[in-house]
Amino acid sequence: MATTAAPKRPLVQKMRGLTGEVVKFGIVGLSGVVINFAVFWVCINGLGLASLRSNIAATVIAIATNYLGYRYWLYRDRDAASRKREITLFLVFSGIGMLIETGVLAFTVYVLLLDSHYEQLGAKVIGLGVATVFRFISYRTWVFTALPEPEPAADAANAVDTADGQELAAQAELMLATAQIRYAKAE
């Protein structure tokens, strides 16, 4: 009885898939960054809001637009069976990312006393960079979960069944050939 192991995806294929995912994540994220910085700049310059309030408003708007990009473009093939769970986790991890970003900005403004608009933008860039790494890992790991792949045990069982079926067919053919030889000798 022959058994075959389920084929595993080579590391190169996994890396290609991850590279494509990172590029798409970057495109959606970049659109969110543009929205985030535009809203932030309008809030601190046009509306005269404080930097932390401006950052929170800008980040909330960017989070909403990013969710649409992630759900309907990047992770559209991922499991969407539990949308309530997905949105809840997305908001939780996005909120943590916003706290990281706002924490770096607050540290820069209130501890380092760097409070010009350009220094605030620099702090926002650093905070956004750290928060982006956190978001990428958390979104792909917990929020937009991959559809379950067929279990290797099931694939191996199918391979065994196929091998058993082929072996049985070969035995049946052998028995048929033997019966035909006996029948021919009897005539």
Side-chain angles (χ1 to χ4, degrees):
M1 175 165 68
T3 59
T4 58
K8 291 188 177 182
R9 286 180 33 192
L11 181 60
V12 174
Q13 285 181 334
K14 288 181 184 178
M15 292 306 291
R16 279 190 200 131
L18 185 61
T19 301
E21 184 178 341
V22 169
V23 168
K24 287 181 176 180
F25 187 88
I27 291 169
V28 172
L30 185 60
S31 69
V33 168
V34 169
I35 291 168
N36 194 327
F37 278 91
V39 172
F40 180 75
W41 192 254
V42 167
C43 286
I44 62 172
N45 287 316
L47 301 177
L49 293 177
S51 60
L52 297 183
R53 286 185 181 159
S54 298
N55 185 64
I56 291 170
T59 303
V60 166
I61 292 169
I63 286 170
T65 59
N66 282 357
Y67 177 78
L68 297 174
Y70 293 136
R71 165 52 30 222
Y72 297 107
W73 185 53
L74 175 58
Y75 297 118
R76 71 179 174 270
D77 60 337
R78 299 288 178 99
D79 185 18
S82 178
R83 197 55 62 94
K84 183 178 178 182
R85 175 197 158 279
E86 176 184 285
I87 290 172
T88 302
L89 287 175
F90 183 83
L91 291 175
V92 166
F93 289 121
S94 294
I96 293 169
M98 182 174 62
L99 289 175
I100 292 169
E101 190 179 325
T102 305
V104 170
L105 182 61
F107 180 79
T108 303
V109 171
Y110 298 112
V111 175
L112 300 178
L113 302 175
L114 303 172
D115 59 356
S116 77
H117 290 174
Y118 293 106
E119 292 166 335
Q120 291 175 26
L121 280 175
K124 188 163 176 56
V125 167
I126 293 168
L128 189 60
V130 173
T132 297
V133 171
F134 168 78
R135 287 178 179 130
F136 176 75
I137 293 168
S138 62
Y139 292 168
R140 81 177 312 269
T141 304
W142 295 294
V143 179
F144 300 104
T145 55
L147 291 171
E149 292 184 18
E151 294 183 23
D155 290 343
N158 290 339
V160 169
D161 289 344
T162 303
D164 286 343
Q166 290 172 349
E167 192 174 306
L168 288 173
Q171 287 176 355
E173 288 174 7
L174 183 61
M175 289 173 54
L176 182 60
T178 304
Q180 287 175 346
I181 292 172
R182 285 185 190 156
Y183 179 73
K185 284 183 182 180
E187 290 181 342

